[in-house]
Amino acid sequence: MATASDEAEMSTYPDLKLFIGGKWRETPDTLPVVNPATEEELGRLPCARISDLEEALTAAQKGLEIWRRTSPRARSELIMHAASIMRDRQEEIAQAITAEHGKPLAQARLEVIRGAEFFEWDAGEAMRVYGRVIPSASGSKISVHHHPIGIVAAFSPWNFPMSQPARKIAGALASGCSIILKAAEETPAGAIHIVRAFEEAGLPDGVLNLVFGKPSEISEFLIPQPAIRLVALTGSTVVGRQLTGLAAQSDTRVLMELGGHAPVIVCEDTDVQKAAISGAIRKMRNAGQVCTSPTRFFVHERIFDEFAHAFTARAAATVVGNGVDDGVEMGPTANERRIPVLTELVNDAVSKGAELRTGGARLGDKGYFFQPTVLANVPDTARIMQEEPFGPIAILNPVRDLDEAIKRANSVDYGLAGYGFTNRADYIDRMIDGVEVGNFSINTLEASLPETPFGGVKASGYGREGGTEGLESYLTTRNVWYSTEVV
């Protein structure tokens, strides 16, 4: 017999379809979408065929010709209208996200608002794509103009079903581009709700197209197409390198927001209890499935024992369960394949001398739950010191001083986000200058806002989303020089 929560879930979860050229469509080939907390099927997701992708490309070309000639103010107003619709449907969208992803409903509600904020920020930026006039000799005029780059092929991940597609769509539409989005098959509802909002707001047909299917087939068809002028991805470093290689074959620009393995430097002068508790809470957010998740904690040896005790106690106290239930702080991992990966990383670390302070195993026999886990004194030879766990596992290691902390923070290939806890101005300066990341935060574990540029260095990608820099990848720059006389 269905429970009340089952009935609510079924009533709020959307019909799963592709959106091409302003029309919703189904295909014969489908994939199941599963609730990771209950392992029950939510629906069947249609997979795009090559013919569907060809039609999406044709539609995007037609949509581009309309949208690039639409005034920035008109584009901005339409994007704001769509964002308002998303805000009005916050609860419906959040219920769908929790059903397919597992995150607590309160976090899903915040994600819907964050997605709307991305659209609202870029809508404003659409009217601030300024060119400039360059001083020149008498009889000459030199100016700089910005134009939409063209059709965008975008790929969004499963960990944030609403806000990650929003970043890609917002940048493209604000810049005057059309876009074909391949959203995550595990969590399609957020993207579908975004498309619904733009459909209702009156976006011209073909400007926004949504497809699902086998990632390799879609990327291998779309990316080499001459009409595709930008590939935008949020995903793993491995996938990013593959797509960058495909894009290079046709000299196509790329925007890559890739993996991270965020360090947290905890200095001896900080409030130990506050740093430990906030670190444990944020580490378990979204079940640790966040590319900016604080993971490698380098704690001054003088305060290490106190920090580790407080951190472990708070992590172990995390309320784990179905995201629709009251009081739940952490839901399941979003898919079953994460469980063996996390288990292997923990076992490898322990076999090499790490201390398992709490957790370390699957939780229960239904749903894809993994225990909040804390490893301490983890040797550098452990895989988890180099591989992003992308799950609810924290690493706590003591360090002698700030120099050692910075060196160990930089010892991985990734450089997306980093954090520091200190009240000393000299420590702050040294961390800002020394930690190799694209986003560094001090005394807070927030990594980005819509109004701030977000992106990585090293193997964590290139290009920026958000802030005044967020539209740069979606635009081309044209220099115009004319003389009043033929010379």
Side-chain angles (χ1 to χ4, degrees):
M1 179 178 294
T3 65
S5 62
D6 291 335
E7 292 173 358
E9 178 182 282
M10 293 172 63
S11 66
T12 57
Y13 201 72
D15 291 335
L16 302 178
K17 296 180 180 180
L18 312 180
F19 188 76
I20 296 173
K23 305 294 182 183
W24 295 97
R25 68 171 65 181
E26 298 177 342
T27 64
D29 297 330
T30 62
L31 294 170
V33 178
V34 176
N35 183 319
T38 65
E39 301 186 39
E40 296 174 355
E41 187 174 298
L42 293 167
R44 304 290 304 189
L45 182 69
C47 297
R49 302 155 296 185
I50 295 300
S51 59
D52 297 309
L53 300 178
E54 290 172 339
E55 291 184 41
L57 195 60
T58 299
Q61 290 172 317
K62 293 178 179 178
L64 176 65
E65 293 310 308
I66 298 171
W67 193 239
R68 71 189 309 165
R69 290 176 172 79
T70 301
S71 72
R73 179 172 292 279
R75 294 200 301 260
S76 177
E77 290 174 350
L78 191 147
I79 295 169
M80 289 294 288
H81 184 190
S84 176
I85 293 171
M86 295 173 213
R87 284 182 175 273
D88 290 343
R89 296 176 183 166
Q90 178 190 20
E91 189 63 23
E92 179 184 357
I93 301 172
Q95 290 279 353
I97 289 173
T98 293
E100 68 183 9
H101 180 277
K103 67 181 64 183
L105 190 55
Q107 294 179 22
R109 292 184 182 118
L110 290 175
E111 184 182 344
V112 176
I113 297 304
R114 173 61 70 93
E117 289 173 344
F118 287 139
F119 285 112
E120 291 159 355
W121 173 262
D122 280 351
E125 288 299 287
M127 295 189 293
R128 292 189 287 270
V129 181
Y130 303 130
R132 69 183 191 275
V133 175
I134 299 173
S136 54
S138 177
S140 293
K141 298 293 183 183
I142 302 175
S143 56
V144 177
H145 303 249
H146 299 291
H147 300 274
I149 194 170
I151 302 174
V152 178
F155 302 81
S156 62
W158 47 260
N159 57 329
F160 287 97
M162 171 78 176
S163 60
Q164 287 292 359
R167 280 188 183 272
K168 306 290 184 289
I169 298 170
L173 298 191
S175 303
C177 300
S178 61
I179 180 171
I180 302 171
L181 173 69
K182 203 292 290 183
E185 287 71 33
E186 296 95 336
T187 55
I192 287 173
H193 273 290
I194 290 172
V195 172
R196 282 182 175 181
F198 275 101
E199 180 186 28
E200 186 171 323
L203 187 69
D205 293 349
V207 177
L208 172 57
N209 304 275
L210 176 63
V211 298
F212 302 97
K214 188 176 180 180
S216 61
E217 291 182 357
I218 293 174
S219 59
E220 288 171 8
F221 174 80
L222 281 182
I223 293 175
Q225 298 294 328
I228 298 296
R229 298 317 309 149
L230 173 68
V231 177
L233 167 75
T234 296
S236 71
T237 297
V238 171
V239 174
R241 288 169 176 163
Q242 292 172 344
L243 299 196
T244 298
L246 282 173
Q249 296 175 18
S250 52
D251 299 316
T252 301
R253 191 190 298 182
V254 296
L255 170 61
M256 295 284 154
E257 192 263 280
L258 307 179
H261 201 349
V264 184
I265 297 174
V266 185
C267 300
E268 70 275 17
D269 67 298
T270 195
D271 186 318
V272 179
Q273 293 293 319
K274 285 184 178 179
I277 292 170
S278 64
I281 292 172
R282 181 52 66 98
K283 174 65 235 184
M284 303 309 158
R285 176 175 172 262
N286 217 48
Q289 300 167 128
V290 187
C291 54
T292 59
S293 182
T295 300
R296 298 177 297 132
F297 289 79
F298 298 109
V299 185
H300 193 281
E301 59 188 10
R302 190 186 308 166
I303 61 171
F304 180 78
D305 289 342
E306 181 185 357
F307 182 92
H309 177 78
F311 189 106
T312 301
R314 183 60 182 87
T318 304
V319 180
V320 182
N322 192 323
V324 299
D325 295 335
D326 293 338
V328 168
E329 296 176 296
M330 188 183 98
T333 59
N335 46 69
E336 188 174 19
R337 65 179 180 271
R338 295 306 308 159
I339 300 297
V341 173
L342 297 173
T343 303
E344 289 171 10
L345 288 172
V346 171
N347 291 342
D348 173 75
V350 171
S351 73
K352 292 174 179 172
E355 302 170 20
L356 180 60
R357 296 288 182 98
T358 189
R362 185 170 188 161
L363 183 61
D365 56 6
K366 187 177 184 180
Y368 311 140
F369 296 95
F370 197 85
Q371 295 172 330
T373 300
V374 179
L375 294 166
N377 296 299
V378 183
D380 290 338
T381 54
R383 285 173 51 199
I384 200 168
M385 291 302 294
Q386 296 295 321
E387 298 179 26
E388 180 185 21
F390 219 65
I393 305 175
I395 302 163
L396 313 182
N397 278 346
V399 291
R400 293 183 304 274
D401 52 31
L402 183 56
D403 287 338
E404 181 187 355
I406 293 174
K407 181 178 180 180
R408 298 190 72 180
N410 294 338
S411 65
V412 298
D413 292 336
Y414 303 102
L416 186 58
Y419 310 93
F421 285 89
T422 185
N423 295 310
R424 288 181 50 167
D426 59 332
Y427 282 5
I428 292 172
D429 283 345
R430 287 168 63 188
M431 286 190 285
I432 290 173
D433 290 341
V435 181
E436 298 170 349
V437 293
N439 309 271
F440 191 73
S441 303
I442 299 164
N443 296 330
T444 177
L445 294 169
E446 291 288 345
S448 70
L449 295 169
E451 58 266 34
T452 61
F454 180 76
V457 298
K458 301 195 291 187
S460 290
Y462 25 89
R464 293 295 181 265
E465 295 179 306
T468 58
E469 298 83 357
L471 300 190
E472 290 177 358
S473 293
Y474 297 90
L475 297 166
T476 60
T477 299
R478 181 178 299 167
N479 176 63
V480 176
W481 183 351
Y482 71 87
S483 174
T484 57
E485 298 180 6
V486 177
V487 296

